[in-house]
Amino acid sequence: MMKLNELLEIFNNGETLIMDKDALEACNYYSREAQKITCELNYKFHEADEIREIFSKLINQKVDDEFRVFPPFYTDFGKNIHLGKNVFINSDCKFQDQGGIYIGDDVLIGHNVVLATLNHEENPEKRGNLCPSPIHIKNKVWIGSNATVLPGVSIEDGAVIAAGAVVTKDVSENTVVGGVPAKVIKKITYDE
């Protein structure tokens, strides 16, 4: 079976993971581990400190003391989620993080948001292979409920993703995007 660091090296280098026996065994192992931890998180009441402890175990790194997540939360890997400070994730979010999810400081993520970092090869004979591409969410971003962010997207500082949007391309700083696929609605202007 492939080790975690071998999987992460492939995913973080943007290489296609050929789903041979070793890769499949490793992906299944880490998926089951994530399922166990998220079951612990999702199906029992926990105080805020306990939630942070469980989430730290899930992502294999300590989360900030201001981190908050309202369960349920779902992921099929967990080991490639990277969180800044003061991040809030509302309930029912689904993170497919093999390709890497990088979330900056002061980010708000609404109900039922999907962050997906994997594609599959188009060739039907190779369709089971995984093609990773990271999602980068910079500081002070707000992602509205039911939004979906697709592989390879970067969302710059201060941007807002409208509820229900499907984000297929990078989003500039201080911009509101919405729709399917998401398009620019307006630039954000404010007095400091």
Side-chain angles (χ1 to χ4, degrees):
M1 180 175 90
M2 296 175 74
K3 295 188 173 166
L4 178 59
N5 63 335
E6 294 173 295
L7 269 180
L8 287 171
E9 185 176 340
I10 290 168
F11 290 144
N12 291 334
N13 288 333
E15 300 170 18
T16 297
L17 178 64
I18 308 301
M19 289 303 286
D20 59 17
K21 183 178 181 254
D22 285 345
L24 182 60
E25 190 176 311
C27 287
N28 286 339
Y29 174 83
Y30 289 107
S31 179
R32 285 191 308 273
E33 184 177 279
Q35 289 170 16
K36 286 178 194 174
I37 296 169
T38 55
C39 278
E40 181 183 344
L41 175 69
N42 294 339
Y43 299 111
K44 190 172 155 189
F45 176 78
H46 300 281
E47 296 294 343
D49 287 342
E50 294 172 305
I51 288 173
R52 284 190 284 275
E53 183 179 317
I54 294 167
F55 210 89
S56 294
K57 181 178 172 186
L58 175 66
I59 68 171
N60 208 27
Q61 55 190 294
K62 186 172 177 3
V63 299
D64 179 68
D65 288 342
E66 300 302 314
F67 170 75
R68 293 181 304 141
V69 61
F70 288 174
F73 173 86
Y74 304 96
T75 181
D76 54 359
F77 189 59
K79 304 302 185 209
N80 213 0
I81 298 170
H82 309 273
L83 301 174
K85 296 178 180 173
N86 194 34
V87 171
F88 172 68
I89 301 170
N90 218 323
S91 62
D92 244 355
C93 288
K94 296 152 189 83
F95 287 16
Q96 180 194 51
D97 64 291
Q98 287 88 338
I101 295 174
Y102 300 86
I103 298 173
D105 298 340
D106 304 311
V107 171
L108 302 172
I109 299 177
H111 291 90
N112 205 39
V113 166
V114 174
L115 303 180
T117 65
L118 290 178
N119 272 315
H120 294 276
E121 291 196 44
E122 290 181 3
N123 179 340
E125 302 305 316
K126 298 179 179 183
R127 187 118 344 125
N129 295 338
L130 303 180
C131 306
S133 193
I135 291 173
H136 293 271
I137 299 168
K138 304 293 175 74
N139 300 325
K140 299 184 186 304
V141 169
W142 172 22
I143 301 178
S145 297
N146 295 302
T148 298
V149 181
L150 296 182
V153 168
S154 289
I155 302 171
E156 298 300 321
D157 291 347
V160 175
I161 309 303
V166 176
V167 185
T168 61
K169 295 180 180 174
D170 292 351
V171 178
S172 300
E173 68 180 3
N174 297 320
T175 301
V176 178
V177 301
V180 180
K183 295 186 179 352
V184 174
I185 295 171
K186 68 177 185 174
K187 287 295 280 179
I188 298 171
T189 57
Y190 53 91
D191 297 325
E192 291 193 33

